[in-house]
Amino acid sequence: MDNLPESMDPKGLYTLFSKFGVAKDVIIPFKRRKATRSRIGFVRYDCPVATKVANLKANEIWCGEP
């Protein structure tokens, strides 16, 4: 996930992506992208099927304020 709002924390990202399957790990690194200074997050699933579902259904998902 790219360009996370400041209000998003790992628990919120877990909640957002758990509807696509059981999330194993959720990580929001402290380091930001150099060019845009945006925040990124990573979600890892145990099941490859859940990963595919999340990739298909979470494309351009909104989190936080639109």
Side-chain angles (χ1 to χ4, degrees), residues 20-35:
F20 304 118
V22 178
K24 181 179 177 181
D25 294 319
V26 176
I27 300 167
I28 300 175
F30 289 108
K31 192 171 184 177
R32 295 173 179 263
R33 298 177 104 184
K34 285 185 179 182

Side-chain angles (χ1 to χ4, degrees), residues 1-55:
M1 179 128 211
D2 188 13
N3 203 18
L4 292 174
E6 292 295 325
S7 62
M8 181 60 67
D9 61 359
K11 185 177 179 180
L13 194 60
Y14 177 87
T15 302
L16 188 65
F17 277 85
S18 64
K19 61 183 157 190
F20 304 118
V22 178
K24 181 179 177 181
D25 294 319
V26 176
I27 300 167
I28 300 175
F30 289 108
K31 192 171 184 177
R32 295 173 179 263
R33 298 177 104 184
K34 285 185 179 182
T36 61
R37 301 291 300 153
S38 63
R39 297 173 66 216
I40 58 173
F42 300 95
V43 179
R44 184 168 46 168
Y45 295 97
D46 269 338
C47 176
V49 174
T51 303
K52 288 181 183 181
V53 169
N55 281 330

